[in-house]
Amino acid sequence: MQSAPHQALLDAGWSTAWKPAPARAGATGAERIRALAAGGYAALPIPAEFGGGGASLAEVAAAQRMLGMADPSAAIALNMHAFTVGLMADYWQRHRDTSWMLLEAIADSGALVASAFAEPGGSPNFMSSRSEAVPTAKGYRVTGVKYPCSLATTATLVCLTARVTGTDETLLALCPRTSPGLTAEGEWPSLGMTASDTARLVLRDVEVDDRLVFHRGPADVIDDNVVSGMVWFAVLLTATYHGVLSALLDTAYRQVTDAGTYGPRTALLGRATRELLTLGGACRQLAADVGSGAVGGQPALAAAVGLRASLSDTRDRVLTAVTPVIGGRLYGRGQQAAGLLVDSLAVHHHPPSLLVCDEVVGSYGTGRAISFDPAAG
């Protein structure tokens, strides 16, 4: 079936090779997430030599966009998996170490990986971890709280950060979700993305095997791992919400074309469309530039946080344009447009904060040291 003109335009430049299977009627959010993982999504970013899909950052982003259009809650949850596994794959590409075994195990089992980075209170410096890792004979004993954490019950593995006791180092490690002392408690009382399996993860003296630690380095230092993580996160997050906003714009277009009520609505639809075209182009370009090596290091970091901030700005401009077009359906209970409106609002609450994003870009541009701590001055 040929796409409507507006959909073909919004899809232009994005790979449509991967499409999510239709959700089973009545399936819960956790069931939909598990089904998507079992269908090969879990292994998309893993190199083909380890049994994965071998997808590039741009290709994973395109898959996230498709999922964002079809199922925002599953998309935001699986975005964290794709970001974490993509970071691990990039880490292996740079270091060629034994982390390939972790990637192979994830691909073989179709395991989902939760990103346990965020902590209660929303620390302004997202690189800072309050969780504590005490060295043991076989690895570390970790205590802390991670919240909000998507895939809280559906994940097989948890990727966590913690400061190593008695040092200035932070570790990045995988931990089996069923480890003794690791529990999911309560639900995330959000307005949107309610089926993302997001909750509070509590770690009480959880034993982490040293073989599952794939990075350890000075805390609060911006290294290649931080740059890679921010690029993957910003690109995939942007693609995910580009899908959510594309779905919202689709409802607006169909409402106008089905009723034949054009007039000034046509210009408003055009305004929202060009906003998404510009955002999508920036997202794909950053993915391509980093993948080719044209951009790297701190310039890549500044571009990534700039993209993340622009995503929030674009979301607000798109909503401003489509609100007069969609009208009361944006606020009606049970309306698809209303659900997408609320889901899209979550974009403002992902790290780094918008002030920090602009501070990072400005600091790089003026030759000052980049910091994610707003108190650093």
Side-chain angles (χ1 to χ4, degrees), residues 243-261:
V244 176
L245 293 170
S246 293
L248 179 60
L249 186 51
D250 177 64
T251 65
Y253 265 107
R254 294 187 185 281
Q255 181 175 319
V256 168
T257 56
D258 288 350
T261 52

Side-chain angles (χ1 to χ4, degrees), residues 100-354:
W100 67 268
M101 292 186 287
L102 300 176
L103 293 168
E104 188 174 68
I106 292 170
D108 286 346
S109 63
L112 284 173
V113 183
S115 298
F117 299 155
E119 294 181 327
S123 171
N125 182 4
F126 79 99
M127 291 175 60
S128 178
S129 176
R130 302 186 188 96
S131 300
E132 184 177 20
V134 179
T136 66
K138 296 183 179 180
Y140 300 89
R141 187 170 60 252
V142 179
T143 298
V145 178
K146 301 295 185 177
Y147 177 79
C149 181
S150 296
L151 304 176
T153 65
T154 48
T156 304
L157 297 167
V158 173
C159 183
L160 59 86
T161 56
R163 286 182 179 262
V164 180
T165 302
T167 74
D168 66 346
E169 293 186 319
T170 295
L171 61 81
L172 193 60
L174 293 179
C175 176
R177 169 64 188 80
T178 56
S179 297
L182 178 56
T183 58
E185 301 179 2
E187 295 183 352
W188 184 37
S190 64
L191 296 176
M193 303 293 185
T194 55
S196 59
D197 188 27
T198 300
R200 179 186 304 266
L201 282 187
V202 181
L203 299 95
R204 300 180 177 91
D205 293 327
V206 176
E207 299 291 340
V208 176
D209 193 306
D210 190 56
R211 292 171 295 182
L212 296 181
V213 176
F214 65 92
H215 178 70
R216 176 172 166 168
D220 304 329
V221 170
I222 297 175
D223 56 16
D224 288 344
N225 210 48
V226 172
V227 173
S228 173
M230 182 51 63
V231 168
W232 273 83
F233 181 70
V235 168
L236 297 186
L237 187 75
T238 300
T240 298
Y241 282 98
H242 192 283
V244 176
L245 293 170
S246 293
L248 179 60
L249 186 51
D250 177 64
T251 65
Y253 265 107
R254 294 187 185 281
Q255 181 175 319
V256 168
T257 56
D258 288 350
T261 52
Y262 300 101
R265 294 178 180 85
T266 305
L268 292 172
L269 292 173
R271 183 184 305 168
T273 301
R274 65 175 171 80
E275 290 286 356
L276 286 185
L277 289 174
T278 301
L279 180 70
C283 180
R284 295 192 306 272
Q285 189 64 54
L286 179 58
D289 286 346
V290 171
S292 69
V295 177
Q298 294 208 346
L301 181 66
V305 297
L307 177 66
R308 183 266 168 275
S310 294
L311 168 60
S312 282
D313 292 342
T314 299
R315 181 267 175 194
D316 288 348
R317 290 194 294 267
V318 168
L319 262 295
T320 297
V322 302
T323 295
V325 177
I326 300 177
R329 296 185 184 185
L330 274 175
Y331 310 105
R333 186 180 295 116
Q335 294 286 340
Q336 180 187 19
L340 292 167
L341 165 68
V342 176
D343 285 341
S344 71
L345 184 60
V347 74
H348 297 316
H349 305 288
H350 294 281
S353 71
L354 301 182

